[in-house]
Amino acid sequence: METVTENPSYKLELTSSPHIHSRWSTQYAMWLVVISLIPAVITAVLIFEWYQLVIISVSIATAIGTESLIKYIRNRKLTINDGSGVITGLLLALILPPNFSLFGTVIGAVIAISLGKEVFGGLGYNIFNPALAGRAFLQASFPVAMTTWTIPNFAVDATTTATPLAAMKFDKIYTSFSPLFLGNIGGSIGETSALAVIIGGVFLIAMGVVNWRIPLSMLIGIVLFGGILWLIDPTKNPDPVFHIFSGGFLFGMFFMATDWVTSPITAKGMWIFGIGISLLVVLIRVYGGLPEGVMFSILFMNGFVPLINRFTQPKTFGAVK
Amino acid sequence: MKKQVTLLKEYTKGLWEINPVFKQVLGMCPTLAVTVSAINGIAMALATTFVLVLSSLIISIIRKLIPPQVRIASYIVIIATFVTIADLVMKAQFPELSKSLGPFIPLIVVNCLILGRAEAFASKNTPVRALFDSLGNGTGFLIVLFIIGSIREILGSGTILGFHIMPLTFEPWLIMILPAGAFLTLGLLMGLANFYVDHKKNKERESIIEKFRSSKQLPTIETEA
């Protein structure tokens, strides 16, 4: 708080209310998110190799550099301290393929920060999740490099490097539960291990950083829609458990969809948002041309957030219908 | 009475002041759709300029003969005539280019840039002025389409006008030759243009204030006694 008087000889500090402050700040929340991603980073290094740390550091450094540069050009205050640039860089790195080129990583981080966030006016004004926007750009630019996967370190039958979703879609091979859960599969750097992602996600919910409604509604949605399709034809369509633990669903559920800026603010809106994402994920995975659809589903629903917020605006207390 | 401007001004205003793409935001369809490469952008802009100049000239000459009730239909007939000429010439002389531009040459008929200049300028001014105005607009259109086409070609295919200029290790960004790349390029360029205009306006405003201040012409706020 800024004191009214700056004369140090006054004993009494005069400030306007409120006088009690919570320790919550954007900065505090953002560093909690970084902590929650540590298990995913550790498992990434275990499952793949040290190169993952290089990708992650390059991504974070580029994100911070781009943000500072844009703030400097626009003559604004530097906002690196709020940690949002670090988060964007870290999240972007964790959803890239393990062997992605560093040049591509740099492009992705620059696009994520500049076109995903700063072009709208910085943190709090962006419509789309910056990390996902960066990944969508890379996916459209380098479709081959973005779908080249690495054989995980502990692979017992390393005959294929396809992700479980691609194997399911194109070769009708189903991956069993235990590698899916531990992460011993092909996939993006940080999202292969369901266990690590769940640890981070539960930590976030327990600390109160993210609202539990969005993850829960997404879970219910995917069990519901995935289950319906599975019951219709269990031989062709994957079961809901596979849907939950494969691809980037859990990672997107805990870290992407729950982004404060790009998710609805009303409780009812969060339910609509989460269930909408799940519906799109199931539709893209089962009927779409791509094996995975979490990124596009979340980006698509991000676009609907202003509309959802408007429709689910709660009635003012005491207002007559 | 409107202030008369010089013929040169009628020409140069189309380059920047009322640039068809950046300022009037007209003719977006060819701007976005055909600028996959620099050569496509040039061809499209040249064809548009040809139609724009000749139809503006004709419309300006017969502007007093056209009854106001049917003026749009009349403009379209005139424009369509020149579009047909352009289309047939391109098909005969540059079949490859014509194929790559596809339906966008015939679609010049409904290009709002041409109809816009006809309605806003040619129908109210003398043929000579209409000629200079349409030439200026055509040149402005050409410059912007060339810039967008070049950016998309360099990043999307690593070439410019068909020549390889990027290092061999450069992996082309496919998104730049997809529709999304067109929107990104146009949006960023337009943002830069607006940024520049704002920047200049602020500078001007500051210099005016500074001038007033130094000559003490601004009334200073006096405190009440």
Side-chain angles (χ1 to χ4, degrees):
Chain A
M1 280 309 291
E2 216 177 320
T3 51
V4 171
T5 168
E6 277 166 21
N7 190 335
S9 66
Y10 287 114
K11 290 268 168 64
L12 189 67
E13 243 189 27
L14 294 174
T15 61
S16 68
S17 63
H19 302 287
I20 300 170
H21 297 280
S22 148
R23 63 192 165 143
W24 278 93
S25 61
T26 311
Q27 201 175 347
Y28 180 70
M30 291 296 176
W31 291 114
L32 280 181
V33 178
V34 173
I35 292 171
S36 72
L37 284 168
I38 290 175
V41 174
I42 294 173
T43 47
V45 174
L46 285 177
I47 294 169
F48 301 108
E49 51 193 66
W50 288 102
Y51 179 63
Q52 313 318 317
L53 279 186
V54 181
I55 291 189
I56 291 170
S57 355
V58 166
S59 176
I60 293 176
T62 317
I64 294 175
T66 314
E67 188 167 335
S68 328
L69 184 72
I70 291 175
K71 292 285 182 203
Y72 174 75
I73 293 172
R74 294 184 65 226
N75 230 341
R76 298 290 148 92
K77 220 177 78 188
L78 222 56
T79 52
I80 301 173
N81 279 343
D82 68 14
S84 65
V86 176
I87 302 259
T88 302
L90 185 54
L91 285 177
L92 174 72
L94 289 177
I95 51 178
L96 290 175
N99 248 348
F100 201 61
S101 71
L102 291 181
F103 181 63
T105 311
V106 169
I107 295 173
V110 169
I111 295 290
I113 293 288
S114 59
L115 292 186
K117 195 169 83 177
E118 293 298 331
V119 102
F120 296 102
L123 181 69
Y125 300 99
N126 47 314
I127 302 171
F128 300 105
N129 187 315
L132 285 179
R135 191 187 191 277
F137 186 92
L138 291 175
Q139 172 92 59
S141 294
F142 314 113
V144 178
M146 283 300 281
T147 47
T148 307
W149 311 102
T150 318
I151 304 169
N153 273 343
F154 310 106
V156 188
D157 48 351
T159 51
T160 170
T161 56
T163 62
L165 278 169
M168 184 273 292
K169 184 151 200 121
F170 303 122
D171 307 323
K172 300 277 166 241
I173 300 169
Y174 292 92
T175 313
S176 55
F177 179 74
S178 130
L180 276 179
F181 184 69
L182 294 174
N184 197 14
I185 44 171
S188 298
I189 295 174
E191 65 189 24
T192 53
S193 169
L195 179 64
V197 173
I198 289 172
I199 292 173
V202 168
F203 170 76
L204 276 187
I205 294 177
M207 295 300 288
V209 179
V210 305
N211 196 304
W212 52 272
R213 287 185 184 87
I214 294 174
L216 186 65
S217 60
M218 280 177 73
L219 270 183
I220 292 175
I222 205 146
V223 168
L224 188 70
F225 301 121
I228 290 172
L229 286 177
W230 181 59
L231 288 179
I232 290 173
D233 191 354
T235 54
K236 252 173 83 185
N237 300 323
D239 56 291
V241 176
F242 180 79
H243 269 305
I244 293 173
F245 287 98
S246 63
F249 184 78
L250 282 171
F251 195 83
M253 179 172 102
F254 284 123
F255 298 107
M256 298 294 185
T258 53
D259 180 11
W260 284 2
V261 182
T262 57
S263 61
I265 48 174
T266 58
K268 217 194 285 172
M270 288 176 184
W271 285 99
I272 299 173
F273 181 72
I275 288 180
I277 292 175
S278 290
L279 174 65
L280 288 168
V281 168
V282 172
L283 284 181
I284 294 177
R285 281 180 178 179
V286 176
Y287 297 109
L290 289 168
E292 173 64 307
V294 172
M295 170 180 75
F296 291 118
S297 308
I298 296 176
L299 284 174
F300 191 77
M301 288 308 286
N302 279 346
F304 276 104
V305 165
L307 205 64
I308 294 173
N309 277 339
R310 181 168 293 190
F311 271 124
T312 57
Q313 208 164 39
K315 208 165 60 176
T316 321
F317 180 69
V320 187
K321 191 193 169 209
Chain B
M1 203 49 211
K2 214 168 65 181
K3 201 172 65 181
Q4 283 293 329
V5 285
T6 62
L7 285 176
L8 186 69
K9 187 75 197 151
E10 296 284 18
Y11 176 75
T12 52
K13 72 176 188 219
L15 302 185
W16 175 254
E17 251 170 70
I18 58 157
N19 185 290
V21 177
F22 289 153
K23 298 300 163 66
Q24 300 182 67
V25 201
L26 292 177
M28 286 294 108
C29 164
T31 307
L32 293 167
V34 302
T35 49
V36 182
S37 64
I39 191 73
N40 274 12
I42 293 176
M44 186 69 216
L46 284 180
T48 311
T49 309
F50 167 77
V51 177
L52 176 64
V53 169
L54 288 175
S55 57
S56 282
L57 196 62
I58 300 285
I59 288 167
S60 178
I61 289 170
I62 61 167
R63 67 185 189 280
K64 283 175 186 152
L65 295 177
I66 302 174
Q69 294 88 339
V70 293
R71 62 183 195 288
I72 302 287
S74 319
Y75 298 161
I76 293 290
V77 171
I78 295 165
I79 295 166
T81 312
F82 292 110
V83 171
T84 313
I85 297 173
D87 190 26
L88 291 179
V89 167
M90 285 197 78
K91 270 195 184 129
Q93 299 297 325
F94 313 100
E96 284 295 310
L97 208 53
S98 173
K99 209 173 274 171
S100 78
L101 289 177
F104 291 103
I105 292 292
L107 274 177
I108 296 177
V109 177
V110 285
N111 191 325
C112 45
L113 169 63
I114 296 170
L115 203 59
R117 287 331 283 168
E119 174 80 5
F121 197 90
S123 60
K124 293 172 190 152
N125 287 283
T126 57
V128 181
R129 283 186 183 277
L131 180 70
F132 276 87
D133 172 77
S134 52
L135 269 175
N137 272 285
T139 319
F141 196 59
L142 174 71
I143 294 170
V144 175
L145 254 64
F146 176 68
I147 294 173
I148 297 178
S150 309
I151 293 175
R152 289 182 67 191
E153 192 181 344
I154 291 171
L155 293 177
S157 345
T159 60
I160 176 95
L161 294 170
F163 296 106
H164 267 280
I165 56 157
M166 296 302 263
L168 282 176
T169 47
F170 174 76
E171 202 180 336
W173 308 5
L174 279 184
I175 193 171
M176 296 310 280
I177 50 174
L178 297 174
F183 282 102
L184 285 177
T185 315
L186 178 66
L188 287 176
L189 281 180
M190 215 181 255
L192 271 181
N194 287 341
F195 181 77
Y196 173 72
V197 170
D198 275 359
H199 190 72
K200 229 170 79 175
K201 223 183 263 171
N202 280 346
K203 275 250 171 92
E204 262 168 34
R205 196 179 297 148
E206 269 162 28
S207 74
I208 289 172
I209 293 174
E210 201 53 42
K211 220 161 70 188
F212 269 114
R213 239 182 227 149
S214 57
S215 63
K216 304 247 163 153
Q217 280 183 12
L218 265 190
T220 46
I221 301 155
E222 286 170 20
T223 47
E224 283 174 37

